[in-house]
């Protein structure tokens, strides 16, 4: 290219690439669903690590009254010089008790707490090294033994779909025949639609993408819910060593697309949609939380001011419609301004009940 015509901004993507690689990436994945559906096995198979070394399984008696816990496992993985800090959030005890009413609540609260923490950090003085613990994706495991979704599945997904990207998973697909898998997938998709559940929507393909990519993308969208098989053992099949499950009648291979959707799920999570999952979390779920939070704060502030100014007749104070735009642009500064306090104000958790 003629040097005179070349300004140099074409190198911008390289600069961004170098900077991102240097900084490293992070991703937080939540797994939820009844215990025993193969969540830990699948996570280990997905990332080829042993994240559950210290897991303690409870006996039946202990599980009767068990409440839902939230546990976190983090690993740093590196591939071709690219570092990924992967955090897995597990929900042991979910759906295990005799009475499972509202057992999704601790999970929803956990997700909100991460948003709240991020909101505080973002409004604070040192915004350079914010640790982002927001949950980017939730793999929700559906039992292969039921007839579609159970009431608990519907309740969980409806309670969380506005907070996190839900990707439904049909667990232990090796327990079903291919036609059973198709029927179950169809039923689950219908029920998701019927109950108005908003699972993670794959973005539309760009029109300039090549045909192969478009076909791959279409296949990915049609596979929902992903029917998966997990295994942490390597077996020998047709002279090859593969990750699979050995049965008296044969071997089921985890990474064989003819046997299950494991590869599709891994491709989606890691290779094609990880960044989109993070973008949707930031632009949709976190933004919703932030707007609600600011609205609740505004109401509180206006109420408090009105109460004070009611005591001083003749003085007026801006109403909610004037305070809200201010708060949306500069939450912390505006709050100081409105409250006249050097300390930022944080409403008590949960915010919805504070309004
Ligand atoms: P979690 O409680 O949901 O984390 O489930 P685990 O990963 O501990 O798995 C529970 C049991 O199911 C273990 O005995 C696993 O070996 C088995 N398991 C895991 N994945 C699969 C699968 O895809 N198919 C079958 N048939 N069994 C599985």
């Amino acid at each position: 290219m003629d040097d005179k015509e070349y300004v140099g901004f074409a190198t911008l993507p390289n600069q961004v690439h170098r900077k991102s690689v240097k900084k490293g990436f992070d991703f937080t994945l939540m797994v939820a669903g009844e215990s025993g559906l193969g969540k830990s096995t699948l996570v280990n198979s997905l990332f080829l690590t042993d994240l559950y070394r210290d897991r303690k399984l409870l006996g039946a008696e202990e599980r009767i009254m068990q409440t839902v816990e939230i546990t976190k496992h983090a690993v740093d993985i590196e591939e071709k010089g690219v570092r990924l800090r992967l955090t897995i959030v597990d929900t042991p005890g979910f759906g295990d008790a005799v009475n499972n009413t509202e057992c999704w609540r601790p999970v929803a609260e956990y997700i909100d707490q991460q948003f709240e923490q991020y909101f505080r950090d973002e409004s604070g003085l040192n915004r350079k090294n914010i640790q982002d613990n927001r949950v980017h994706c939730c793999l929700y495991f559906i039992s292969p033994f039921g007839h579609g979704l159970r009431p608990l599945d519907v309740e969980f997904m409806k309670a969380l779909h506005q907070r996190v990207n839900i990707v439904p998973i049909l667990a232990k697909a090796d327990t079903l025949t291919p036609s059973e898998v198709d029927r179950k997938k169809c039923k689950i998709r219908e029920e998701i639609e019927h109950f108005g559940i908003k699972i993670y929507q794959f973005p539309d393909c760009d029109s300039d993408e090549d045909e192969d990519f478009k076909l791959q993308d279409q296949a990915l969208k049609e596979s929902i819910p992903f029917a998966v098989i997990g295994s942490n053992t390597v077996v020998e099949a047709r002279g090859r060593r593969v990750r699979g499950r050995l049965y008296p009648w044969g071997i089921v291979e985890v990474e064989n697309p003819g046997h299950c959707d494991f590869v599709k799920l891994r491709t989606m999570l890691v290779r094609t949609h990880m960044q989109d999952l993070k973008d949707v979390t930031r632009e949709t779920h976190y933004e919703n939380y932030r707007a609600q939070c600011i609205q609740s704060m505004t109401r509180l502030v206006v109420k408090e001011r009105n109460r004070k100014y009611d005591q001083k007749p003749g003085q007026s104070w801006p109403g909610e419609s004037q305070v809200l735009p201010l708060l949306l642009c500069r939450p912390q500064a505006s709050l100081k301004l409105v409250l006249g306090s050097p300390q930022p104000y944080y409403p008590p958790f949960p915010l919805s009940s504070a309004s």
Side-chain angles (χ1 to χ4, degrees):
M1 194 184 289
D2 189 346
D3 226 24
K4 280 186 198 138
E5 306 259 308
Y6 182 69
V7 178
F9 54 79
T11 64
L12 271 175
N14 301 346
Q15 294 177 36
V16 173
H17 173 88
R18 245 201 321 272
K19 217 170 162 184
S20 311
V21 169
K22 208 169 144 197
K23 198 167 156 226
F25 297 85
D26 55 56
F27 189 69
T28 301
L29 177 70
M30 174 180 264
V31 283
E34 206 183 302
S35 78
L37 284 182
K39 299 184 294 295
S40 5
T41 311
L42 189 83
V43 166
N44 285 340
S45 321
L46 276 172
F47 297 100
L48 301 178
T49 49
D50 186 5
L51 277 153
Y52 291 86
R53 241 166 282 133
D54 319 319
R55 182 167 71 150
K56 191 175 152 269
L57 291 171
L58 299 179
E61 216 171 288
E62 293 164 292
R63 293 210 313 253
I64 292 176
M65 297 302 289
Q66 198 194 354
T67 48
V68 180
E69 259 182 82
I70 307 285
T71 57
K72 255 168 79 169
H73 308 261
V75 272
D76 290 306
I77 35 188
E78 192 170 330
E79 192 180 74
K80 294 188 183 167
V82 177
R83 282 175 299 117
L84 173 71
R85 181 159 185 83
L86 174 73
T87 307
I88 303 291
V89 178
D90 203 348
T91 57
F94 176 82
D96 275 0
V98 172
N99 181 356
N100 288 307
T101 315
E102 301 214 329
C103 72
W104 48 265
R105 202 172 275 283
V107 184
E109 280 174 4
Y110 177 84
I111 293 174
D112 284 353
Q113 276 161 15
Q114 309 316 306
F115 283 152
E116 191 192 3
Q117 186 59 49
Y118 194 84
F119 184 57
R120 283 173 192 240
D121 291 349
E122 202 184 39
S123 321
L125 278 179
N126 182 6
R127 308 198 313 168
K128 224 172 165 191
N129 299 314
I130 297 181
Q131 175 139 23
D132 184 3
N133 291 318
R134 292 173 294 182
V135 180
H136 301 120
C137 177
C138 170
L139 297 182
Y140 186 74
F141 284 64
I142 298 163
S143 167
F145 310 120
H147 299 280
L149 297 179
R150 295 168 312 157
L152 184 58
D153 301 332
V154 176
E155 237 188 79
F156 179 92
M157 290 197 267
K158 282 192 87 160
L160 294 211
H161 65 178
Q162 308 280 26
R163 292 175 160 98
V164 66
N165 295 311
I166 297 178
V167 174
I169 301 288
L170 181 57
K172 297 191 173 180
D174 55 326
T175 58
L176 302 167
T177 64
S179 60
E180 283 170 334
V181 168
D182 288 344
R183 274 203 303 273
K184 279 226 157 106
K185 280 188 171 195
C186 214
K187 179 104 196 282
I188 291 169
R189 279 198 297 263
E190 275 168 21
E191 288 180 333
I192 285 176
E193 171 96 30
H194 173 77
F195 289 107
I197 297 165
K198 309 237 169 342
I199 55 169
Y200 170 63
Q201 290 299 311
F202 293 99
D204 289 333
C205 238
D206 289 335
S207 51
D208 59 348
E209 290 289 2
D210 63 48
E211 275 312 306
D212 279 354
F213 187 86
K214 282 184 186 162
L215 285 175
Q216 189 194 338
D217 191 67
Q218 187 62 23
L220 208 62
K221 287 173 184 163
E222 284 167 2
S223 302
I224 293 284
F226 294 106
V228 298
I229 298 166
S231 167
N232 295 321
T233 44
V234 174
V235 289
E236 194 149 333
R238 293 181 305 249
R240 288 178 306 123
R241 290 181 59 74
V242 294
R243 200 166 266 263
R245 305 184 71 83
L246 176 65
Y247 291 109
W249 50 88
I251 287 169
V252 57
E253 297 170 31
V254 168
E255 295 182 41
N256 184 335
H259 292 187
C260 75
D261 299 328
F262 176 87
V263 172
K264 280 195 193 120
L265 172 68
R266 191 178 58 193
T267 305
M268 187 285 282
L269 264 186
V270 185
R271 296 192 186 176
T272 54
H273 289 75
M274 187 178 269
Q275 192 52 47
D276 188 64
L277 286 160
K278 293 178 75 170
D279 291 345
V280 177
T281 303
R282 196 187 62 237
E283 290 161 15
T284 308
H285 301 303
Y286 176 63
E287 272 313 298
N288 286 344
Y289 175 86
R290 191 170 164 274
Q292 267 176 21
C293 197
I294 291 170
Q295 246 170 352
S296 308
M297 283 151 87
T298 317
R299 266 187 230 122
L300 274 177
V301 169
V302 171
K303 227 194 231 161
E304 178 64 12
R305 277 284 152 176
N306 284 347
R307 200 178 56 77
K308 276 191 192 161
Y309 279 80
D310 276 352
Q311 292 161 6
K312 298 180 191 162
Q315 275 179 298
S316 65
W317 183 252
E320 190 170 323
S321 58
Q322 286 140 296
V323 177
L324 191 60
L326 256 175
L327 280 165
L328 282 166
C329 350
R330 303 276 320 276
Q332 198 193 27
S334 320
L335 277 167
K336 278 187 205 167
L337 195 83
V338 173
L339 286 167
S341 143
Q343 289 301 316
Y345 173 77
Y346 297 114
F349 181 83
L351 288 157
S352 47
S353 62
S355 55

